Structures are given as structure tokens and as C-alpha cells.
Amino acid sequence: MKKISKTREEFDQFYEEEIKGEIETLEANRNNLKKRRNKQAKITAVAALIPIVFGLIFSDYFIAFFIATFVVLIIGFSKLSKTYKSFEGVMKQRIVRKVVTFINPEFQYAPEKHIPKETFLDTRVFPKKPDKYLGDDLIWGSVYDQDQPETEKEHELSAQTATPENIKQVTSSLERNVGDSQPEDIPKTDIAFSEVTAIDAWSDTDGHPQETVIFQGLFFDVDFNKDFQGTTVIAPRKDLFFDFKKLDIFHKQPKLEEIELDNVEFNERFAVKTTDEVKARYILTPGFMEKMLALADGAKERSKERIPNQHLKIVAKTIEKIVPYFSFKDGKMYFLLNTLQDHFEFNIDKKADKESIYNYFEDINQALMLVEELDLNLKLWNKT
């Protein structure tokens, strides 16, 4: 199979030719927005301080002045948020979009959209529905098994028309337009991924609201290269948020039964539960399990390199939580990589540099590495 992901050397050349000059051009915009942000912060602080002082002097009207302070802070933070979103929007449109196109011209990018909550629940990985579900930076498209001429036609559903209702349709059936130059028998993989965060809200014994992050990372929705029906879920055994015993309580779907496979290391590191043992073994061949183990280890190493220098125990504890989940359902594979990081984000106080852009490239490039390492677009024409 032709290699479809990119190398560091290819990225270096792309950065010098396409990104370096763009960053210099955008520096003036970043500095102007930074000055605006600082000015807005000072005005907000002074404006909020005035009613506080008057409230202390005229104590009979303290509540009124307190409300005034609260209103000022809301307005101020709203302006600050708009300034940052303006900065982030420009950077994503001018930088991230270039990176996406460089990696694969077939990919489309919608910065403010994400894979829908319904798809997240469809994986059956977590025992309960998250109370909050957030995300951004949706990327989707097709990858092919050999060199093909580029087409000027666009997908029927573009980033501008993608909505939570039709994103699942996009990710499951990215059909080529009539007259497209891609022959029907060319193997391709439809893939979509975005950053998502799932949060569980609860109250402590004193009734104080609390939140626990169930999942924060990259969520991949990928076409699988074998036809099958049913569900097989794979999760790390050490994950505190994962409990097979609870799955059937919250999901009114066919019951999942835990099974053991022939790979001892795989059984030690992952728990596997399925609605059909025969289909699960059909999917999880010895070679495929080895690739999944290697993929999990590689993802951990990439995440480890980005953790700031901290105490070794803190780093070790963080790395332990960087875990992958897999779910195979009705001809689809879902891969959830719990990175505990914000991806595709820019710092308004710092000029974007080559390494930060490389991190964005690496996050997106994982999608193609996933297809390659698991051989997901081999012999797809055999699917019915």
C-alpha cells in the first residue's frame, strides 16, 4: 500500500515554503489583538473597581453596586472572549487549514464543529452519557490506496454546510460526485476526526457541584476494511472511568460479553467485550492486535514528549491517563485517544513557532497513520 501519511522531512519543507512566511505576515495581527486584549482587560478592571468603591462608601446601596460590578465583568469578559476568538479564527483559517490541505487535499476542515455526541454514545465505550460534551476542529475526507489525479470537484457537503445533524452522514458516506475521476473500484477509507471533551457533572456530600473529565482528546471515526454486524468494545483495564459491568445498565442494546483472546499481552492491557465472539475474533486477528498495541504505545510516546517539564511523579501519573479506546460497530471503527490536551490552539501572547505548528501537523497526521498502521484501506472493494 502506498504511504499516505507525511514525514517530518516533508513537513520541514512545507513549513519553509508555506507556513514560515505566513506566520510573519500574521505577527502584526497578533500584536494588534494582544494590545487590544490588554487594553480591554485594564478597562474592565477599572470599570469593575469603581462600583465596588462606591458600594463600600454607600453601604446602603451595596447590592446595587455589586450587581453593577457583575454586569461590568460580564461585558468585559465577553469583549475579551471575542478578541481571542478573532485571533484564533484567523490562525486556524490561515495556518491549520494549510496544514490540513498539505496532509491530504481530500480533507475538509470545520474549525467550530466536531463529531456529534450521538456518535460518541454509539461507541458504547463509556458507561454513562456525559453531562457536557464539547469539541471543535472537525476534519473529514477520504484517503485512497494509490496515486490518483486531483479533482476540482468538492464534496456535496462542505465545511460551510456541515451541521451536527449531517456530520454523521458525512463521516459515514462521503460519496464522490458524478463525473469524478476516481474509479469506483479504487479502495478508499472515509475518515473523520475532531477534538472532543466529555464531562460528568456531580455533587459532593455537601451538595457542591463538581465535574470530572471522562474523556479529553481526539476522536476518530473510520471506515473499516471488513464487513461485520454487531459491536466489539476495547478499553484499557486500568481506566477508572471504564466499567463493563455498568455498560448494559445504561445502553438498551444487545448485551456485551467479555472474552479472552490469544494474545496474552493484549488481554493484560485491554478488556474486550462483544455482542458476537465469532465476529470479534474475525476483526481482532493476531496481526491486528499487535498493530493496536504498537499504535497505543506510539500515541503515548507522542503525548509524553509534549508534557511540560514537571516532577517525575506528576508526569508518570499524567502518562498513565493517556489511554486509547477502540470500538467496532457495524462496519465502522471508532478510535478515541485520551490525550488530556487541547489541540490546534494558539497562544495570543506568543508567536507561533515551528514546533507548535509541527504538533498540529502531527495530531492531524495521526489520522493517516491510523489508516496505514491498521491497514484500514486494504481491499475495501470487498465490502458489500
Side-chain angles (χ1 to χ4, degrees):
M1 185 185 74
K2 168 184 169 285
K3 187 174 179 62
I4 54 179
S5 63
K6 303 292 185 180
T7 64
R8 178 64 194 249
E9 290 72 23
E10 289 174 303
F11 168 80
D12 289 341
Q13 181 179 352
F14 160 72
Y15 178 84
E16 292 298 324
E17 295 176 356
E18 301 288 340
I19 298 297
K20 188 175 181 179
E22 190 75 11
I23 289 177
E24 295 300 329
T25 301
L26 292 173
E27 263 302 278
N29 178 68
R30 184 185 70 84
N31 286 323
N32 288 336
L33 290 175
K34 179 182 175 181
K35 290 177 182 178
R36 183 196 301 177
R37 188 276 314 268
N38 294 340
K39 183 177 180 180
Q40 289 172 338
K42 290 178 181 178
I43 292 174
T44 299
V46 172
L49 185 62
I50 293 175
I52 291 176
V53 172
F54 276 98
L56 294 175
I57 296 175
F58 304 101
S59 56
D60 291 342
Y61 302 98
F62 179 79
I63 294 178
F65 286 118
F66 174 80
I67 294 174
T69 300
F70 186 70
V71 171
V72 168
L73 289 175
I74 290 177
I75 295 173
F77 283 124
S78 175
K79 290 183 177 294
L80 289 170
S81 177
K82 288 181 180 179
T83 299
Y84 178 75
K85 285 183 178 180
S86 175
F87 161 74
E88 186 180 56
V90 170
M91 296 300 286
K92 287 189 175 185
Q93 290 293 342
R94 300 279 292 274
I95 301 296
V96 178
R97 189 174 291 280
K98 277 181 176 286
V99 175
V100 171
T101 303
F102 158 67
I103 289 179
N104 187 351
E106 290 285 334
F107 281 170
Q108 295 191 64
Y109 176 50
E112 298 180 356
K113 301 184 185 301
H114 56 79
I115 292 182
K117 184 178 180 179
E118 291 73 19
T119 307
F120 183 84
L121 297 176
D122 201 40
T123 66
R124 297 185 67 182
V125 165
F126 298 99
K128 65 171 296 187
K129 295 180 181 179
D131 296 294
K132 294 182 181 179
Y133 182 79
L134 314 168
D136 52 17
D137 295 303
L138 174 69
I139 299 169
W140 76 91
S142 299
V143 292
Y144 292 82
D145 199 16
Q146 58 180 295
D147 290 317
Q148 294 296 326
E150 292 185 4
T151 174
E152 295 181 357
K153 292 182 179 293
E154 296 181 350
H155 296 303
E156 294 178 9
L157 290 171
S158 68
Q160 287 70 34
T161 60
T163 65
E165 290 71 27
N166 64 28
I167 284 173
K168 190 170 183 179
Q169 177 187 348
V170 173
T171 62
S172 63
S173 58
L174 287 169
E175 297 182 353
R176 310 297 297 175
N177 288 333
V178 176
D180 218 337
S181 58
Q182 300 289 356
E184 292 183 359
D185 61 348
I186 293 299
K188 71 172 183 175
T189 298
D190 293 335
I191 183 170
F193 56 100
S194 74
E195 182 176 359
V196 301
T197 301
I199 298 173
D200 179 31
W202 51 284
S203 298
D204 60 20
T205 54
D206 296 323
H208 299 138
Q210 304 289 334
E211 290 186 346
T212 300
V213 176
I214 300 172
F215 176 84
Q216 180 184 14
L218 297 173
F219 180 11
F220 298 89
D221 177 349
V222 190
D223 222 2
F224 197 60
N225 62 357
K226 293 180 179 180
D227 259 336
F228 65 91
Q229 297 297 315
T231 303
T232 297
V233 179
I234 303 168
R237 291 191 179 277
K238 293 183 179 181
D239 180 16
L240 298 178
F241 299 114
F242 184 84
D243 187 351
F244 271 139
K245 295 178 181 179
K246 296 179 181 178
L247 279 175
D248 297 319
I249 297 176
F250 295 99
H251 298 280
K252 295 180 180 179
Q253 299 185 38
K255 188 176 182 181
L256 293 164
E257 297 286 351
E258 187 167 2
I259 63 172
E260 284 197 6
L261 301 169
D262 296 332
N263 189 313
V264 176
E265 181 184 358
F266 197 87
N267 287 328
E268 289 176 350
R269 292 174 57 179
F270 292 99
V272 181
K273 205 165 189 184
T274 182
T275 58
D276 189 326
E277 182 174 353
V278 174
K279 295 290 177 61
R281 294 184 184 278
Y282 168 68
I283 296 168
L284 300 173
T285 62
F288 194 70
M289 283 188 284
E290 290 293 340
K291 289 179 182 292
M292 291 174 73
L293 289 170
L295 183 68
D297 291 337
K300 257 189 179 182
E301 284 301 314
R302 286 191 292 273
S303 297
K304 183 178 180 179
E305 294 172 358
R306 300 188 194 179
I307 297 177
N309 294 326
Q310 299 180 32
H311 193 278
L312 289 178
K313 288 185 178 180
I314 297 176
V315 172
K317 188 175 181 180
T318 303
I319 291 297
E320 191 67 25
K321 294 180 180 178
I322 298 176
V323 294
Y325 307 85
F326 299 88
S327 175
F328 302 84
K329 185 172 182 182
D330 299 336
K332 300 282 291 183
M333 187 191 87
Y334 302 111
F335 173 55
L336 298 90
L337 181 59
N338 196 45
T339 63
L340 305 178
Q341 298 174 15
D342 288 326
H343 301 262
F344 316 119
E345 300 298 320
F346 292 87
N347 187 347
I348 195 172
D349 292 309
K350 181 181 177 182
K351 179 181 178 180
D353 57 22
K354 186 175 182 178
E355 283 307 306
S356 65
I357 303 301
Y358 178 73
N359 286 341
Y360 307 142
F361 157 81
E362 192 175 44
D363 290 337
I364 301 169
N365 203 40
Q366 281 187 69
L368 300 188
M369 292 174 64
L370 178 70
V371 172
E372 286 178 345
E373 293 177 23
L374 300 183
D375 295 335
L376 294 185
N377 68 333
L378 288 179
K379 301 180 181 178
L380 277 175
W381 58 85
N382 288 336
K383 291 187 72 171
T384 58

